[in-house]
Amino acid sequence: HGARHKALLAGAIVAVCLFLSAGHMNSGDASSQLAAAVHFCATGHVAASSQLGLEFSPKDFRYAPTTHAYYDSNGLGGTLLMLPAACIAVAHGAHDIAASVGRLPTDPSLAKEVASLTFAFVGALAVVFVMLALAEFMPLRRAWWWALAFLFSTGFLAYVKSTWDVGPAAVPVAALAWIVLRAYKRVDPPSRTTYAAACAVGVAVL
């Protein structure tokens, strides 16, 4: 019963965040990550061999003299999250690194919507972990309301509504807070806590 109750409240948080999703790209960095993901899905390579990357955004694609190629300079984690949207873009005819900003006749607007929904879903996971962390020392329903208060009364709302590249980093941070609180209450064995904390830190770095 407790697990089902948690799942229902978590599902409600996810539904709210998906509803709030803007459905388009609001960040140049996130757009760059989508472009890099499109290029990877279309070519199987993370590097662009031409200056198309520079035409897209000079500050986001850097030239590597050792490989004579251009790489997206943003975090790898956001690019990985963009892969489902990038696959849709490629399926709709986007086959170069500039396609994700509408440089081709086939503007993959559906891909941008999927990317926005993906980041909103990931943002919802951070709110869920906040709820779980709070539920360690207060009733679950009260923790749910406080988690919603966190969503609507802090700057994190902008990261859920908008596709910003740094938003997903909140997920492992919130998860780490939950793990630490469970460790403080000695809910999990120390070894499991250590592994879980290490995974959370690793994902945050990614």
Side-chain angles (χ1 to χ4, degrees), residues 97-121:
I97 205 164
S100 62
V101 288
R103 299 282 181 87
L104 293 186
T106 51
D107 178 18
S109 58
L110 177 60
K112 297 175 186 177
E113 293 170 4
V114 172
S116 179
L117 288 171
T118 300
F119 272 57
F121 174 79

Side-chain angles (χ1 to χ4, degrees), residues 49-130:
S49 59
S50 70
Q51 290 190 1
L52 253 166
L54 291 180
E55 292 172 7
F56 168 75
S57 177
K59 72 181 183 64
D60 287 330
F61 287 87
R62 303 293 176 86
Y63 179 71
T66 54
T67 59
H68 304 290
Y70 298 88
Y71 297 87
D72 176 34
S73 61
N74 296 289
L76 180 60
T79 303
L80 293 175
L81 291 176
M82 292 291 186
L83 288 178
C87 290
I88 292 174
V90 172
H92 283 74
H95 290 292
D96 68 39
I97 205 164
S100 62
V101 288
R103 299 282 181 87
L104 293 186
T106 51
D107 178 18
S109 58
L110 177 60
K112 297 175 186 177
E113 293 170 4
V114 172
S116 179
L117 288 171
T118 300
F119 272 57
F121 174 79
V122 173
L125 295 182
V127 182
V128 169
F129 278 122
V130 169

Side-chain angles (χ1 to χ4, degrees), residues 27-50:
S27 163
D29 291 339
S31 296
S32 171
Q33 290 173 324
L34 178 57
V38 168
H39 180 70
F40 175 77
C41 289
T43 67
H45 301 288
V46 296
S49 59
S50 70

